[in-house]
Amino acid sequence: MAIIDPHAILISGARQFASAPLSAKFGIVVIAIYVLAALLAPHMTPYGEAEIVGTQFEPWSSKFWLGTDNLGRDMLTRLVFGARNTIGIAFLTTCLAFSIGASAGLAAATLAGWADQILSRLVDVLMSIPQLIFALLLLTIFGTSVSAMVLVLAVLDSTRVFRLTRAVAINVAVLDYVEAARLRGEASTWIMTREILPNIAPTLVAEFGLRFCFVFLLISALSFLGLGMQPPTADWGSMVRDTAALISYGDITPLLPAGAIALLAVAVNLVVDWFLHSASGLKED
């Protein structure tokens, strides 16, 4: 059994970070800040997530650095807790979507025949309906609990993962070493996990980052519409909705959660671009 050396991993990670372009370093730093905020939210904020500590829409001050929202809750506290809730739910949803979509895509590419046709046609039906409209319909039917939202969004987003996984896995499934594994009598599961999956992993990792952004933005959009995470849970989408009236008075407070959403999306895309470039083996000019 191989022994994992944390010190060696740390040194390798530091070297990769040092060799990364400036855009990727910026993205990594931003993501690290967001993750730390999500993990340490209760220790970084002066108030509770849903605690009413003042009157509605108080201006920025030494007591409330970013003012208060429509119920008198501290905006800074809500913004930090929003990182934990929004990012955590988006990450969980993306992981579930990849578990479903990648498994089905690998099965379709490896088994081919009727299994491929049935899975592909089912995915075509699900993808024929716009994702946001379909999500709104299903959440209206099944309710707006966190578990229902995660399951609905994961199933809908898994269709995109399926299409990509199937497309790249089919190209690998016809190669000589995969045919050799079939002739040796290896099981389909072994072929999927040992022969095909390792060779398409970089593409799937990059797609994970992109799909995380899409899920993250979709959750924020649903929360803005009132069908995402429900009060009193802090969520950046609902925070934009709750403070939107301030825009009419020239107050930029609603732009803070919107900016947090945009900044994370940009940071993830910068890191994904760097990872794809590194995985391709291309060198900078």
Side-chain angles (χ1 to χ4, degrees), residues 30 34 213 216-217 220 236 255-269:
V30 170
Y34 275 70
C213 285
F216 172 73
L217 294 172
S220 297
W236 289 336
L255 299 180
L256 298 177
I261 295 170
L263 182 59
L264 180 59
V266 170
V268 171
N269 277 280

Side-chain angles (χ1 to χ4, degrees), residues 19 21 273-285:
S19 63
D273 287 344
W274 168 61
F275 177 82
L276 276 176
H277 191 276
S278 301
S280 68
L282 298 175
K283 301 296 183 182
E284 295 286 351
D285 295 332

Side-chain angles (χ1 to χ4, degrees), residues 12-241:
S12 176
R15 288 175 178 172
Q16 290 184 2
F17 179 80
S19 63
L22 183 60
S23 59
K25 290 179 180 177
F26 172 78
I28 292 171
V29 170
V30 170
I31 293 172
I33 292 173
Y34 275 70
V35 171
L36 286 175
L39 294 176
L40 303 176
H43 307 288
M44 295 176 60
T45 54
Y47 307 105
E49 179 180 2
E51 185 180 357
I52 297 176
V53 294
T55 59
Q56 64 176 357
F57 297 140
E58 288 198 31
W60 297 14
S61 64
S62 58
K63 183 178 181 181
F64 306 116
W65 287 7
L66 300 179
T68 61
D69 64 5
N70 60 325
L71 295 179
R73 297 170 295 192
D74 181 51
M75 278 293 294
L76 176 60
T77 299
R78 301 278 292 173
L79 199 64
V80 174
F81 271 97
R84 162 177 286 191
N85 299 325
T86 309
I87 296 174
I89 296 300
F91 183 77
L92 176 62
T93 303
T94 308
C95 289
L96 182 57
F98 260 76
S99 299
I100 299 171
S103 299
L106 284 169
T110 305
L111 301 176
W114 283 106
D116 184 19
Q117 289 297 318
I118 291 173
L119 289 171
S120 296
R121 299 297 78 77
L122 177 61
V123 167
D124 289 343
V125 170
L126 291 175
M127 293 186 69
S128 64
I129 305 174
Q131 189 177 24
L132 180 58
I133 296 176
F134 206 178
L136 289 171
L137 174 63
L138 293 177
L139 289 174
T140 302
I141 295 173
F142 295 111
T144 54
S145 65
V146 172
S147 57
M149 181 177 64
V150 169
L151 185 59
V152 166
L153 296 185
V155 170
L156 294 181
D157 209 58
S158 67
T159 57
R160 278 74 180 169
V161 180
F162 170 86
R163 293 293 291 272
L164 176 70
T165 305
R166 177 182 176 274
V168 295
I170 283 178
N171 294 329
V172 177
V174 297
L175 296 179
D176 292 341
Y177 61 85
V178 178
E179 292 298 331
R182 288 196 177 99
L183 292 175
R184 291 199 310 266
E186 302 290 357
S188 297
T189 304
W190 194 95
I191 293 174
M192 285 187 285
T193 56
R194 295 294 188 88
E195 300 289 355
I196 299 178
L197 182 58
N199 289 283
I200 65 173
T203 302
L204 295 183
V205 171
E207 178 66 9
F208 184 92
L210 295 177
R211 293 257 54 96
F212 171 81
C213 285
F214 287 125
V215 170
F216 172 73
L217 294 172
L218 181 58
I219 290 175
S220 297
L222 290 172
S223 297
F224 181 82
L225 296 173
L227 288 174
M229 283 181 271
Q230 299 300 301
T233 303
D235 172 77
W236 289 336
S238 60
M239 288 174 66
V240 175
R241 181 194 64 218

